[in-house]
Amino acid sequence: MTSTQLFITVALLACAGFFLGKKRAAIMRDSSGSHSSPGIRPHSTPVYYGFWVSLWAVIPALLVFVCEFVLKRFGHVPFSFRAGVAWEAVAVTSGIVCVIIAWLRLRPETRARNHIETGMNFLFMACATIAIFTTLGIVLSVIFESIRFFKVIPVQEFLFGLKWSPQVAIRPDQVGSTGAFGSVPVLAGTFLISFIAMAVAAPLGLMSAIYLSEYAGSRLRAWAKPCLEILAGIPTVVYGFFAALVVAPQVKAAGEILGLQVSSESALAAGLVMGIMIIPLVSSLSDDVISAVPQAMRDGSYALGATKAETIKNVVIPAALPGIVGGLLLAVSRAVGETMIVVMAAGLSANLTMNPLKAVTTVTVQIVTLLTGDQEFDSPKTLAAFALGLLLFILTLLMNIIALKIVRKYREQYE
Amino acid sequence: MNTACYTPESTIIAGVNVHLHDTGDVNEDVKGLVSSAEDYTTVGNPFVESPRMKCREVSVDYSGKRAVFGVSLDIARNEVIAMIGPSGCGKSTFLRCLNRMNDTIPGCTVSGSITLDGMDIYDRKVDVVPLRAMVGMVFQKPNPFPKSIYDNIAYGPRIHGLAGSRSELDALVEDSLRKAGLWDEVKDQLDKPGTMLSGGQQQRLCIARTIAVSPEVILMDEPCSALDPIATARVEELIEELRDNYSIVIVTHSMQQAARVSQRTAYFHMGWLVEVGETDQIFTNPRHKLTENYITGRFG
Ligand SMILES: Nc1ncnc2c1ncn2[C@@H]1O[C@H](COP(=O)(O)OP(=O)(O)OP(=O)(O)O)[C@@H](O)[C@H]1O
Ligand SMILES: [Mg+2]
């Protein structure tokens, strides 16, 4: 029996259990109170009894599945029975037995409704647990691989080294084989580009949100908002070649008019396009929080003789600030994590510079280049990707924590 | 904004004859009589000597649907005038006309004329911003800004530049809070958020905030409907004190409250001003059938 078949069998069993339980409860309900059989009225509606019985088809199968997984993965199966078939047989038979018992033991006093409530509780808890443990698993695996990396390259060199050139010899007899793994230039590039992107997206996005939610008429809003949101639907690859083929040459040309030296791949071009990409994210999130500020706040301000702009500046924005900061943070993580635009428009060379007219590279781009092509899995070059990932993770985490602190401090609570 | 010219002569609106004279009783001939329930002509004298605000033939439409029909009413100096009437009869709508808060509602048009100290407030040239400082408003639900108590009061003076220095502003904040009878309760926690106060305190904070920009008229839309009896009594006391310096228009659903705080009472019905008169007279001897029905608790 394959697992698909097992799944279908259990599902059928559950269905059968549902109808049997429901039927029985319906009969109990109909006969209760009549003079011939003065039974008690069932505690719950028949549907709940149906679900309750079908639950007993699923629970044993799940338990058996978990046991099988744990034993096979971590322990030794004590009996020498042919694993596959036997486990599935156990699952199905125990399911059938449980359904029958549940069906037979179904009484009017059975509190099916409350049992289903408990079942629901477990279901939601399981989903939350899966989400949390997956995250935890990813973080742990990144940490362990990074530790392997730090065994080869010292932590301080990785954190404070000013040179990034991860070319390591694949064969030991190659020359010029020791790579440099200083993460500073890569991080600097990341921050430079994210900063440029946010400098574009934050004011434009926020102000367009204010315009759309406070000033624009409902008819204008009806088509302007979707238009803005179309920007969010454009794949990043499109932005990437737009940046590389349209914006970068323009930036170069504009720079030359001003007498500036601009390389054909520049942080500025990538940052500008990335900023445009994030505008809809910032504006739609801010728009939501601005619209959520109660009208009573605005009325109070207008009634004191404030103008619209004063009301927005002094009342609406402060009240919406936590949400706006949250939206901006999301936008920052989007910018930090963006890869495609940077690969195409900002280049791969890890220059340590704060000059936005030079080519720079970012953490995500380096991770991509480290892991593409044939690699030895445990070479420092490959493991460096994990270290970079860990660094990125820690930095965004810190950023979130700091931002949360700021938000909590300046939050102006409205009812 | 569609601002019609006021003509003191009789005008026909929606088929009902409205006779207006600047002085004298409108329906002298029906004194002592009870008008029929179908007649919405204003009973009683809506006009006073040297009024602070004059409303003439004020009608309000919400996207074509009329909510207030040709209301003419004066608001005297240093008086509390109460507006009563069944729900949906246009009290709030009329009240919002007095400081042009209706401007913020899309589709709302006001016609007729309203003057404040002789100035037509719906005139094109009038700037609504200082107008709203002169005609302040307190809302049904206390709506303090999510700022500190101090900043709530200082908000209006700051945007109007009423205080030259920090110490002047401090004095103004203290003065407003004292007038609103809140100073002793909050003087040690001026930097705490205004939303932290109790409902009654919040409402007095909102009144203090309105006083801080030294208005001439204060409009109150059911200011006590979210408050308990003790907080209500406190606010009513405050209204009584404020009468020395301001004209107050209060909308209320509580007839006891109207009787306690007001000198004149206006009864609205289905968008019409049906009766207006001295509060004592309205509650003891209403002259319109509809008023009588309403204050005695009979409807229809
Ligand atoms: N913003 C609006 N848009 C459209 N119609 C409105 C609006 N506000 C009020 N109305 C309508 O105008 C009429 C008068 O409403 P208003 O709020 O002035 O009544 P009210 O006397 O204050 O009632 P209540 O005592 O319940 O507060 C009602 O029929 C209402 O439906
Ligand atoms: Mg109202």
Side-chain angles (χ1 to χ4, degrees):
Chain A
M1 197 188 273
T2 66
S3 48
T4 324
Q5 284 167 328
L6 176 68
F7 181 79
I8 293 172
T9 317
V10 172
L12 285 177
L13 193 60
C15 275
F18 177 79
F19 286 111
L20 285 173
K22 193 176 158 197
K23 191 86 200 289
R24 201 177 149 116
I27 291 169
M28 284 192 311
R29 184 191 58 187
D30 293 342
S31 64
S32 72
S34 71
H35 286 292
S36 52
S37 61
I40 319 162
R41 216 182 144 70
H43 171 271
S44 317
T45 52
V47 179
Y48 280 109
Y49 290 97
F51 280 122
W52 183 68
V53 174
S54 64
L55 206 57
W56 283 106
V58 181
I59 291 172
L62 267 183
L63 284 181
V64 171
F65 174 76
V66 170
C67 288
E68 179 186 1
F69 180 78
V70 170
L71 285 178
K72 278 189 181 162
R73 186 78 179 78
F74 301 110
H76 298 284
V77 188
F79 322 107
S80 63
F81 61 170
R82 306 274 308 150
V85 178
W87 284 107
E88 277 140 19
V90 171
V92 172
T93 35
S94 59
I96 292 173
V97 169
C98 284
V99 165
I100 290 172
I101 293 175
W103 184 73
L104 286 175
R105 286 178 44 106
L106 205 158
R107 297 273 177 278
E109 353 19 306
T110 313
R111 298 205 203 158
R113 197 162 164 233
N114 303 25
H115 293 313
I116 294 296
E117 193 60 32
T118 318
M120 282 302 189
N121 192 346
F122 275 103
L123 180 70
F124 294 132
M125 203 171 71
C127 292
T129 318
I130 288 173
I132 290 169
F133 275 95
T134 320
T135 319
L136 210 63
I138 293 174
V139 171
L140 283 181
S141 107
V142 169
I143 288 177
F144 287 132
E145 299 300 337
S146 305
I147 289 173
R148 283 174 63 192
F149 172 74
F150 291 132
K151 277 184 189 138
V152 186
I153 310 287
V155 182
Q156 60 271 24
E157 191 192 322
F158 177 72
L159 285 184
F160 304 112
L162 298 182
K163 194 161 180 302
W164 178 266
S165 68
Q167 297 316 316
V168 201
I170 294 176
R171 295 189 314 276
D173 53 318
Q174 267 181 320
V175 277
S177 60
T178 44
F181 289 96
S183 65
V184 173
V186 185
L187 274 184
T190 304
F191 284 120
L192 180 61
I193 290 186
S194 305
F195 181 80
I196 297 171
M198 290 313 292
V200 173
L204 282 180
L206 198 54
M207 286 186 209
S208 64
I210 291 173
Y211 177 73
L212 284 180
S213 61
E214 298 286 316
Y215 287 95
S218 55
R219 229 178 308 147
L220 176 64
R221 188 164 46 227
W223 66 264
K225 255 197 101 156
C227 278
L228 199 59
E229 270 150 20
I230 286 176
L231 277 181
I234 300 175
T236 54
V237 158
V238 178
Y239 281 109
F241 67 71
F242 174 68
L245 303 182
V246 181
V247 178
Q250 296 296 332
V251 168
K252 192 172 156 72
E256 268 154 17
I257 292 170
L258 297 173
L260 294 169
Q261 195 74 46
V262 187
S263 50
S264 54
E265 291 179 322
S266 65
L268 189 59
L272 286 178
V273 174
M274 202 191 280
I276 291 168
M277 182 191 77
I278 314 175
I279 287 174
L281 186 73
V282 175
S283 84
S284 74
L285 289 173
S286 324
D287 188 25
D288 290 348
V289 289
I290 289 173
S291 311
V293 174
Q295 183 62 30
M297 293 288 122
R298 298 186 181 94
D299 286 347
S301 173
Y302 293 145
L304 288 170
T307 62
K308 204 160 200 172
E310 285 164 344
T311 303
I312 292 168
K313 177 176 152 276
N314 296 322
V315 175
V316 177
I317 298 293
L321 194 66
I324 291 174
V325 173
L328 289 180
L329 263 184
L330 266 183
V332 172
S333 11
R334 181 81 202 273
V336 168
E338 174 52 39
T339 318
M340 227 26 161
I341 296 175
V342 191
V343 175
M344 293 194 192
L348 298 173
S349 51
N351 295 322
L352 179 55
T353 173
M354 277 294 140
N355 180 356
L357 306 176
K358 287 259 173 62
V360 294
T361 191
T362 65
V363 174
T364 49
V365 168
Q366 285 312 310
I367 292 177
V368 170
T369 45
L370 287 173
L371 294 184
T372 41
D374 294 333
Q375 309 287 344
E376 275 179 274
F377 185 70
D378 50 0
S379 82
K381 190 178 166 188
T382 321
L383 291 175
F386 285 100
L388 281 180
L390 184 66
L391 193 63
L392 202 58
F393 171 72
I394 291 174
L395 286 175
T396 35
L397 192 69
L398 280 180
M399 213 154 61
N400 281 339
I401 291 172
I402 292 169
L404 269 182
K405 279 247 157 68
I406 295 173
V407 168
R408 213 165 283 153
K409 185 144 179 245
Y410 292 103
R411 155 169 273 159
E412 292 192 338
Q413 200 84 46
Y414 53 81
E415 288 178 302
Chain B
M1 194 62 51
N2 151 24
T3 313
C5 229
Y6 157 56
T7 47
E9 266 64 56
S10 71
T11 356
I12 296 178
I13 290 180
V16 177
N17 239 338
V18 185
H19 297 278
L20 294 170
H21 308 280
D22 262 327
T23 50
D25 209 329
V26 172
N27 285 18
E28 202 74 55
D29 47 326
V30 294
K31 197 162 201 152
L33 295 176
V34 171
S35 307
S36 84
E38 287 75 41
D39 187 3
Y40 291 160
T41 317
T42 306
V43 175
N45 179 14
F47 309 119
V48 298
E49 290 278 321
S50 79
R52 175 132 262 164
M53 295 190 87
K54 266 202 250 184
C55 311
R56 293 292 178 272
E57 289 301 307
V58 175
S59 298
V60 185
D61 297 76
Y62 287 111
S63 339
K65 192 176 142 276
R66 187 148 285 203
V68 170
F69 297 84
V71 171
S72 296
L73 183 65
D74 281 351
I75 290 148
R77 288 161 203 277
N78 302 3
E79 78 161 345
V80 178
I81 176 166
M83 296 190 178
I84 57 171
S87 192
C89 67
K91 306 178 296 288
S92 302
T93 304
F94 179 69
L95 196 71
R96 282 197 304 265
C97 291
L98 300 179
N99 68 344
R100 291 186 56 176
M101 278 300 276
N102 280 334
D103 292 11
T104 60
I105 299 175
C108 179
T109 54
V110 179
S111 61
S113 91
I114 302 177
T115 59
L116 170 67
D117 294 327
M119 170 192 72
D120 182 352
I121 65 169
Y122 278 95
D123 193 284
R124 281 254 193 95
K125 292 193 284 288
V126 165
D127 183 4
V128 7
V129 167
L131 168 74
R132 295 212 184 111
M134 281 186 276
V135 185
M137 187 159 197
V138 176
F139 296 84
Q140 176 169 6
K141 208 170 153 256
N143 58 346
F145 300 128
K147 300 175 180 298
S148 70
I149 293 173
Y150 185 95
D151 287 337
N152 260 282
I153 310 288
Y155 183 85
R158 275 188 184 134
I159 56 178
H160 295 293
L162 297 184
S165 64
R166 177 79 195 194
S167 56
E168 258 179 69
L169 190 60
D170 287 348
L172 186 55
V173 168
E174 176 173 346
D175 187 47
S176 310
L177 283 170
R178 274 191 198 285
K179 279 191 188 147
L182 195 60
W183 175 253
D184 292 328
E185 288 158 69
V186 301
K187 61 171 181 262
D188 303 320
Q189 36 182 350
L190 290 177
D191 54 343
K192 295 274 166 53
T195 42
M196 182 205 78
L197 298 172
S198 75
Q201 289 174 323
Q202 286 187 11
Q203 196 60 301
R204 279 181 283 148
L205 181 69
C206 292
I207 294 175
R209 181 173 85 178
T210 310
I211 298 171
V213 291
S214 40
E216 296 175 9
V217 182
I218 302 177
L219 312 174
M220 299 186 173
D221 195 347
E222 302 178 36
C224 301
S225 62
L227 306 183
D228 70 277
I230 293 169
T232 301
R234 192 70 200 76
V235 171
E236 284 177 7
E237 242 170 70
L238 173 60
I239 292 173
E240 184 59 35
E241 288 159 21
L242 293 176
R243 185 159 74 89
D244 297 343
N245 299 308
Y246 311 95
S247 302
I248 295 171
V249 187
I250 178 171
V251 170
T252 175
H253 275 146
S254 151
M255 277 173 278
Q256 290 88 336
Q257 181 171 58
R260 279 193 300 262
V261 301
S262 71
Q263 285 76 54
R264 286 200 303 151
T265 297
Y267 173 71
F268 282 74
H269 190 89
M270 310 264 289
W272 298 85
L273 174 58
V274 164
E275 180 164 0
V276 53
E278 301 290 318
T279 300
D280 293 342
Q281 175 256 312
I282 294 278
F283 285 107
T284 54
N285 183 23
R287 284 156 54 188
H288 199 290
K289 187 82 190 139
L290 289 167
T291 320
E292 190 188 14
N293 286 348
Y294 183 72
I295 62 171
T296 53
R298 282 196 303 267
F299 281 93

